[in-house]
Amino acid sequence: MNFAINAPLSPKLTPNMELAHRNTFGLDAYAELAYEISSAEQIPELIKIIQEQKMPWRVLGGGSNVILPAVLPGATLLMNIPGKELIKIDLTHTYLSVGAGVNWHEFVTWSLDNRFPGLENLALIPGTVGAAPIQNIGAYGVELADYIDSIDAYDSQDHTFVTLTKEGCCFAYRDSYFKQHPGRFIVTKVVFKVPNHWTPHLHYADLAKQFLNAESAPTAQQIFNTVCAIRTQKLPNPKVIGNAGSFFQNPIIPAEQYEALIKKFPQLISYPDALGTRKVAAGWLIDQCGFKGQRHGPVGVYENQALVLVNHGGGTAKDILDLASNIQEKVHQTFGIQLEIEPNIL
Ligand code: EPU
C-alpha cells in the first residue's frame, strides 16, 4: 500500500526511519512510517488517512521524555513546525508565539537574547516547545504553566483545530489536559506571556544558595547561566549518556502519611504544597534505598542524581522498565510510597 500523500502540503514521509538519535535514552528503535510535520495545515489530511487505515500513530517531539519499543508500528509524526515571533506587548505582558517543533532551550535562549526575560529558570530542559505543556515542564521553582497564554492544537477526535486558554489546559504538577487525553491532541503552537516587569525567582534552595554572597541582585542572564551550570553538573548530557531526565515524579502524599514518615525518617526531604499535602523528593527515597550509581546490565541509576535512569549503551525498553520496577518495589517496601514513572512508554 502507498502511504505517501500527494497533496501540495504533504508532509515528508520516510519509511523505516531509525530513531536511535531521536530519543535521548538512545534506545535502538525505528518508525515504520515517519512523517515530518512542518506546518499545522498538513495535519488534518494526514490524520484522516491514518484513521481510515486504522493505523496506530503518535507524535514525537525531541524524544526526551519517551521510552521507545524496538519498532513503532504505523505512523510516527515528527513534530517540526518552526517559528518564534513577538506578537504583542500590552501594559503588563509580552506575548511570544512559538511553533511546536522549536527546540525548548533554543527558544529560552532567544527570549533572553531579545530582552524578554522570564523563562531563565527553565533553561537547558531538553525537548521541544510542543512537548513542554503536555507534562508542564518545571524546574528551579518555576513551571511552564506560569507563562502560558494559550495553546493551539489539532483535535484528532473532533477533527478541528482548537485554541485552549491556560485555564483550559488544566495544568498541575507534571500534568495537563493533553496528558489526560493521550492520543487526542497534536500541539501546533504555544503562545507565551511573560511579565514586562521582570522579577527573579530564587526561592528554590539550590538556586538561591548560588547568589547568597552576591553584592547585587542577579540579572536574568546570570540566573540562566547558573541554572545551566547546575543542570550540567547534576544531570547527565543525553549526547554522552542516554537518559530522559527525571524518571519518576516526586510523589505527593497526604499530611497524615507525611507525619508518620518524618517520625521514622527525620532526614526525609519534602516540600509543603498549597493543598496541605507534601511533595516528597523521589531522588532522596531512591538514594536511601541504595540504588544511586548502581548498574543493572546495560542500564543503571545515574551516579549524581538517583531520580535519573541511564542507558550506558545497548539497553532496551525492557531493561529500563525492569530496573524501574525493582526501584518501585524497594521504595514501596521501605517507605510505603508508590513511585509513578514520568516519561511516556510508547
Ligand atoms: N536528592 C538526594 N539524592 C539524589 C537526588 C536528590 O538526596 O540522588 C535530594 C536532593 O539533595 C534534594 C532533593 O532530593 O534535596 C531534590 O533533588 P533536586 O533538587 O535534584 O530536584 P528533584 O526533585 O530531584 C526536580 C525535577 C527536575 C528539576 C529539578 C530542579 C521532578 C520529577 N523533577 O528534581 O526536573 O530539574 O527538580 O528544579 O519534578 C525532569 O523532569 O526531567 C527534571 C530534571
Side-chain angles (χ1 to χ4, degrees):
M1 198 173 296
N2 181 11
F3 287 107
I5 304 168
N6 296 314
L9 290 169
S10 59
K12 181 171 173 254
L13 166 63
T14 310
N16 298 326
M17 183 188 261
E18 282 275 2
L19 296 177
H21 298 291
R22 295 186 85 121
N23 75 101
T24 60
F25 247 129
L27 297 169
D28 277 324
Y30 75 90
E32 259 180 11
L33 302 167
Y35 292 91
E36 199 171 314
I37 306 293
S38 50
S39 83
E41 289 72 37
Q42 296 172 337
I43 297 172
E45 178 71 8
L46 178 59
I47 291 295
K48 189 170 146 243
I49 294 174
I50 287 171
Q51 291 177 339
E52 277 167 9
Q53 306 287 346
K54 298 194 169 29
M55 268 197 272
W57 65 278
R58 80 289 303 162
V59 181
L60 200 59
S64 59
N65 202 41
V66 287
I67 304 167
L68 301 183
V71 180
L72 281 144
T76 298
L77 279 54
L78 304 174
M79 180 46 68
N80 225 356
I81 299 177
K84 304 186 275 288
E85 65 175 317
L86 165 66
I87 48 174
K88 72 172 176 187
I89 302 179
D90 65 16
L91 281 177
T92 55
H93 289 85
T94 297
Y95 298 77
L96 308 169
S97 169
V98 191
V102 173
N103 173 273
W104 173 262
H105 181 69
E106 181 198 316
F107 162 57
V108 174
T109 309
W110 173 88
S111 67
L112 287 173
D113 289 349
N114 286 281
R115 300 185 193 286
F116 310 126
L119 299 167
E120 54 283 347
N121 291 43
L122 301 176
L124 219 59
I125 296 183
T128 51
V129 166
I134 313 239
Q135 56 149 334
N136 183 21
I137 58 170
Y140 304 104
V142 168
E143 273 186 354
L144 175 100
D146 305 334
Y147 296 93
I148 291 295
D149 178 58
S150 66
I151 295 185
D152 285 4
Y154 183 71
D155 181 344
S156 69
Q157 189 173 307
D158 290 349
H159 302 106
T160 176
F161 283 100
V162 292
T163 298
L164 272 76
T165 60
K166 178 184 166 181
E167 289 66 37
C169 293
C170 304
F171 288 119
Y173 168 63
R174 293 295 193 273
D175 198 17
S176 71
Y177 188 73
F178 306 107
K179 192 165 167 181
Q180 289 154 16
H181 295 83
R184 177 165 169 187
F185 296 98
I186 301 172
V187 173
T188 56
K189 187 173 93 181
V190 180
V191 178
F192 294 88
K193 186 180 172 186
V194 292
N196 297 339
H197 178 72
W198 177 78
T199 46
H201 292 281
L202 294 175
H203 48 285
Y204 194 88
D206 246 16
L207 189 56
K209 75 176 179 220
Q210 305 289 331
F211 296 104
L212 266 184
N213 300 319
E215 283 170 8
S216 53
T219 63
Q221 189 63 45
Q222 285 168 332
I223 296 176
F224 172 93
N225 294 344
T226 304
V227 167
C228 290
I230 303 175
R231 288 189 77 93
T232 308
Q233 192 202 343
K234 271 198 165 182
L235 300 167
N237 177 353
K239 288 191 180 127
V240 180
I241 177 164
N243 75 92
S246 298
F247 194 87
F248 299 100
Q249 293 183 18
N250 284 332
I252 295 170
I253 60 170
E256 310 79 69
Q257 189 180 2
Y258 168 72
E259 295 304 337
L261 268 176
I262 194 79
K263 281 195 191 111
K264 217 169 146 195
F265 304 99
Q267 313 294 327
L268 180 78
I269 296 176
S270 72
Y271 320 91
D273 70 16
L275 304 165
T277 46
R278 270 331 263 205
K279 194 195 270 179
V280 179
W284 186 86
L285 301 176
I286 299 167
D287 197 353
Q288 295 300 304
C289 290
F291 284 103
K292 193 153 149 183
Q294 268 193 19
R295 232 182 132 129
H296 292 240
V299 300
V301 178
Y302 189 53
E303 58 193 357
N304 294 337
Q305 165 53 293
L307 197 50
V308 178
L309 300 198
V310 292
N311 176 15
H312 293 285
T316 62
K318 184 175 182 304
D319 296 325
I320 292 165
L321 295 174
D322 284 351
L323 171 58
S325 62
N326 279 347
I327 294 174
Q328 284 170 313
E329 210 176 298
K330 188 76 200 288
V331 166
H332 191 261
Q333 270 172 16
T334 314
F335 300 102
I337 291 178
Q338 184 61 40
L339 293 181
E340 300 294 338
I341 291 179
E342 165 48 36
N344 299 333
I345 304 165
L346 295 187

